[in-house]
Amino acid sequence: MKVIATALAISISFLAVSVVLAHTQNAGDKLAAGAAPKYDPVVYAELQKAPEKARNRPNPLQNDPDAVAAGAILFGQHCAECHGDAARGGKKGPSLRAAEVQGAAPGAIFWILTNGVVRKGMPVWSKVPEPQRWQLVRYIKSLGETAPATATESAAPQP
Amino acid sequence: MSSFCRLVLLGFFGVSLLSACSPPPALAQENPYFVAYDHYLEEPGNLEIEYFSTFGTQRNGNNFHAYWAEFEYGATAWWTTEFYLDGQTTFHDSTIFTGFRWENRFRPLKHEHWINPILYAEFEDVNGADKILKEVVGHDVEADKAGLNAEARAEREREFELKLILSSNLKGWNVSENIIAVKNIKNNPWEFGYALAASRPLALKASAKRCTLCPQNFVAGVEMYGGLGDRHSFGLHDTSHYLAPALAWNLPSGWTLRISPGFGLNDNSHKFLMRWGVSREITGFGSMVSRLFGGRK
């Protein structure tokens, strides 16, 4: 009986911790229906932290004709949950169409993908093989080619 | 008591089913390991529900089929917590619930490095009939599992388990080393073990078309694990060791299938272990639970 009681207590605490964390994660989730979320430019500051060596790495798949299509599929599988299906920002992640991202070097985006921003909730994505991360970078950069990013997309601070 | 136990299990099953049916799936990028851990934690807010089985041959006893359900939750990007429920069927004997485990993994470093450490802490409350072989430590040998369930279940094992997980990526390969230390809360000495593993996706570049059977969805690898004795008799004598090739298939629907035939490397080991498992990653579980309790949509 003691074991079962302990198991139940652990399950309840597990659920309680989930709820608390979920509330915390949703704290900044005040999106008007249909509107692109606004993000404080500070969230993009991580891109500036990429070491110069990493920033200067060229995308080896820059001229791969399949990279954008493959990257789009990977984006849907791994990134859309947080950054939104159209990469305009979502519940947890900022817009990737913002000028800060579109103006960043491919190597800096790759560095963020590889290292995550662990203390701010973005996981490490180095479990996605390196060529796939470059395919993702190629896709993210292609978003700027099709729909030029505007400064307003990232300028307004979060409400 | 058994009906209460059934109620708890039913509750977990209900939550699992609810989770599995409602939210959108994410493609899991899982390694094929059953025993070893790499340095990747669950994505924050996601829940992974897993079922694993181990069929084991037993000399001087009956073969067995041990299984566990695992609920892995990404609390933050640097903390993953997991809850396990264990059980087993020993052929020509009985089927029993053998206990639970609660494990936590922490990522102490912010960035990726050549070697990435993860700290692991687990509490387990299982009985002596537990046969899932989630790790092999100390002087664990095949003969320990030969007893009848009725006798073995009378023995209680409440243990703290610590692991140092070291994991690296190199040219598409993941190489992981786990150093294990286990302490029974009774006066037993610290026991030690190890797990080594390497794996690689069959293709590193993703296909430009959605596909289920693409080589990048398969990850092949190998694990080796075993005991290293205890504080009083550290070393390889009277220990068991296993070598197990493993394969994972990450389906685009969010399911992952794993299979791993394992082979005992000495006379103290089970000759053959057949492991398989199925898991599904549920995205946004944390938000879903939050909404259930009136959180913001």
Side-chain angles (χ1 to χ4, degrees):
Chain A
M1 191 70 194
K2 220 172 169 182
V3 175
I4 303 301
T6 316
L8 193 65
I10 288 173
S11 343
I12 291 167
S13 6
F14 182 78
L15 212 60
V17 170
S18 306
V19 173
V20 171
L21 284 166
H23 272 287
T24 313
Q25 284 163 2
N26 281 354
D29 184 21
K30 297 176 180 174
L31 306 184
K38 309 289 185 208
Y39 289 92
D40 191 322
V42 170
V43 302
Y44 300 105
E46 291 294 328
L47 283 163
Q48 305 303 320
K49 294 181 182 171
E52 195 176 340
K53 192 178 167 190
R55 218 176 3 236
N56 291 338
R57 284 183 74 181
N59 188 340
L61 302 179
Q62 182 62 35
N63 299 317
D64 184 330
D66 291 334
V68 173
I73 293 171
L74 291 168
F75 185 88
Q77 290 168 340
H78 300 301
C79 317
E81 182 206 348
C82 294
H83 293 283
D85 290 337
R88 293 185 186 279
K91 292 175 182 176
K92 300 180 210 163
S95 169
L96 302 179
R97 293 173 180 264
E100 289 86 344
V101 178
Q102 293 305 321
I109 300 172
F110 181 85
W111 184 83
I112 289 282
L113 278 173
T114 303
N115 290 281
V117 189
V118 174
R119 298 291 181 263
K120 291 181 181 167
M122 176 166 166
V124 165
W125 283 104
S126 64
K127 67 178 171 182
V128 173
E130 190 169 319
Q132 292 184 29
R133 272 175 276 151
W134 283 118
Q135 288 174 320
L136 271 168
V137 171
R138 184 71 189 87
Y139 170 70
I140 291 167
K141 293 294 276 184
S142 78
L143 297 172
E145 294 161 14
T146 53
T150 59
T152 53
E153 206 158 32
S154 64
Q158 212 166 358
Chain B
M1 186 173 88
S2 61
S3 64
F4 189 59
C5 177
R6 270 199 293 271
L7 202 67
V8 172
L9 290 172
L10 202 66
F12 269 104
F13 180 72
V15 170
S16 315
L17 200 65
L18 185 74
S19 310
C21 293
S22 46
L27 177 74
Q29 193 82 27
E30 302 295 332
N31 67 40
Y33 309 147
F34 282 79
V35 174
Y37 287 83
D38 59 24
H39 68 290
Y40 299 115
L41 304 182
E42 190 60 53
E43 284 84 42
N46 287 7
L47 177 75
E48 187 163 350
I49 300 166
E50 303 171 278
Y51 167 83
F52 290 102
S53 269
T54 299
F55 166 81
T57 60
Q58 178 75 53
R59 282 166 289 192
N60 304 318
N62 297 317
N63 295 345
F64 60 87
H65 173 214
Y67 28 83
W68 72 94
E70 189 176 331
F71 302 86
E72 178 176 344
Y73 182 68
T76 68
W78 49 268
W79 171 31
T80 289
T81 184
E82 292 189 53
F83 185 68
Y84 294 71
L85 293 168
D86 300 359
Q88 59 103 325
T89 298
T90 298
F91 301 131
H92 311 296
D93 189 343
S94 60
T95 295
I96 55 172
F97 171 69
T98 54
F100 70 89
R101 297 156 193 259
W102 182 37
E103 73 168 51
N104 292 280
R105 281 176 286 148
F106 303 97
R107 180 188 176 90
L109 302 181
K110 279 185 2 184
H111 294 144
E112 284 285 282
H113 297 273
W114 178 246
I115 297 174
N116 301 285
I118 295 288
L119 307 176
Y120 172 111
E122 177 189 301
F123 172 73
E124 61 183 63
D125 188 338
V126 296
N127 62 42
D130 196 84
K131 296 181 179 180
I132 69 168
L133 293 165
K134 189 76 179 72
E135 64 277 317
V136 177
V137 293
H139 298 289
D140 290 351
V141 292
E142 182 188 25
D144 298 342
K145 312 286 184 200
L148 295 171
N149 279 348
E151 292 164 7
R153 71 187 303 181
E155 183 195 344
R156 293 295 286 278
E157 292 177 3
R158 290 194 181 107
E159 296 179 333
F160 285 106
E161 182 176 320
L162 303 173
K163 284 181 190 172
L164 175 61
I165 298 164
L166 302 172
S167 168
S168 312
N169 283 337
L170 186 66
K171 295 186 186 296
W173 286 88
N174 171 263
V175 180
S176 297
E177 308 90 34
N178 299 178
I179 301 151
I180 309 167
V182 175
K183 177 80 175 83
N184 193 308
I185 59 172
K186 286 183 197 163
N187 246 349
N188 293 359
W190 281 94
E191 297 176 299
F192 304 102
Y194 71 93
L196 308 170
S199 65
R200 185 187 188 276
L202 298 190
L204 298 179
K205 267 173 74 174
S207 164
K209 290 179 182 168
R210 288 181 194 282
C211 52
T212 303
L213 289 166
C214 303
Q216 81 259 14
N217 292 344
F218 293 88
V219 186
V222 65
E223 289 185 288
M224 184 178 171
Y225 50 92
L228 292 172
D230 58 37
R231 189 170 72 86
H232 301 304
S233 56
F234 187 82
L236 296 177
H237 70 93
D238 292 336
T239 58
S240 57
H241 304 269
Y242 297 89
L243 186 70
L247 182 72
W249 180 18
N250 293 304
L251 286 98
S253 56
W255 293 90
T256 297
L257 307 175
R258 290 182 180 88
I259 191 161
S260 171
F263 305 94
L265 296 179
N266 63 11
D267 290 339
N268 292 322
S269 317
H270 295 276
K271 266 191 162 174
F272 181 67
L273 297 174
M274 187 67 201
R275 297 184 192 259
W276 65 96
V278 57
S279 62
R280 187 167 196 260
E281 183 148 335
I282 311 297
T283 61
F285 176 79
S287 308
M288 195 179 73
V289 174
S290 171
R291 285 199 296 274
L292 196 66
F293 288 89
R296 273 185 285 267
K297 295 191 178 178

